[in-house]
Amino acid sequence: EIAFEGLPCMGHDLKIGRGLGDVIMPILITIEHNLLIEPDIGSVEMPSLRTIGHDFKIAQSRQSGDVPRISLNALLTIGHDLKVEKVEGLTNLSFPDLMSIAGDYRVIGTTDLNAFDAPNLLSIVSDLTIESNVALHSFAMGGLLGVRNVTIRDNPELCEGIPDAFIEGLGDG
């Protein structure tokens, strides 16, 4: 376990890589640049994190490994892209307070992710892509009012009507 109990701000990038075990940062509020979480770690807990200044990426590295529980329940804004790409072992992903993504939101090529949600997400400035996620059966973004482009394809477990209902719901906002 690695705990940074007195660090409220990360002035640059934060990379959480292989073999670190549990990473706990209880008072971290801001990461000014990028947050990268690679597989084969313990849990990641940042209960006070509100802002990621640039990219947030959960991605498979060259070596296989699972990504366990990620807890960022207070996250409000991402200054650029949110990418979940080619990840194994992560079954659920939730951002209950996330309100805006100033770039793309991409969930691509996950093997075990069966659900993700961001119920308070209002805006994705660029593109939403949900593609080639083998186990994905549901996603929710109940408050989304704006997004530039939406691509939802090759998610074999996703009910056929979910993408259509989601896109139709965007027209109401």
Side-chain angles (χ1 to χ4, degrees):
E1 177 178 304
I2 298 173
F4 296 93
E5 306 219 1
L7 184 66
C9 179
M10 177 66 66
H12 211 284
D13 296 340
L14 176 58
K15 178 180 178 182
I16 300 172
R18 300 181 56 77
L20 283 183
D22 295 335
V23 177
I24 302 166
M25 303 179 92
I27 68 166
L28 183 66
I29 297 169
T30 302
I31 297 173
E32 292 186 5
H33 291 279
N34 302 309
L35 173 59
L36 171 62
I37 299 175
E38 291 184 338
D40 208 12
I41 56 173
S43 65
V44 176
E45 295 181 34
M46 298 178 192
S48 301
L49 184 64
R50 315 273 295 163
T51 304
I52 297 171
H54 205 258
D55 290 340
F56 174 25
K57 185 173 184 180
I58 304 169
Q60 191 72 6
S61 65
R62 286 183 214 140
Q63 297 174 333
S64 181
D66 288 349
V67 174
R69 191 175 68 85
I70 296 172
S71 177
L72 304 173
N73 291 339
L75 185 62
L76 290 173
T77 62
I78 298 173
H80 201 253
D81 296 339
L82 170 54
K83 298 177 183 176
V84 182
E85 297 179 341
K86 299 179 182 173
V87 176
E88 297 175 9
L90 184 64
T91 58
N92 291 290
L93 192 57
S94 180
F95 301 106
D97 288 345
L98 184 62
M99 296 182 75
S100 68
I101 299 172
D104 295 334
Y105 188 175
R106 299 171 45 139
V107 181
I108 298 174
T110 67
T111 56
D112 300 309
L113 187 67
N114 58 49
F116 68 90
D117 69 73
N120 292 305
L121 186 61
L122 298 175
S123 173
I124 300 171
V125 173
S126 279
D127 301 338
L128 171 63
T129 304
I130 303 169
E131 182 177 348
S132 302
N133 300 290
V134 177
L136 185 66
H137 64 78
S138 70
F139 66 90
M141 287 176 245
L144 191 61
L145 298 174
V147 60
R148 186 173 59 190
N149 296 305
V150 177
T151 302
I152 303 172
R153 65 176 172 220
D154 300 328
N155 302 288
E157 295 298 315
L158 194 58
C159 285
E160 223 172 272
I162 290 177
D164 295 336
F166 172 75
I167 292 168
E168 200 172 290
L170 286 174
D172 295 340

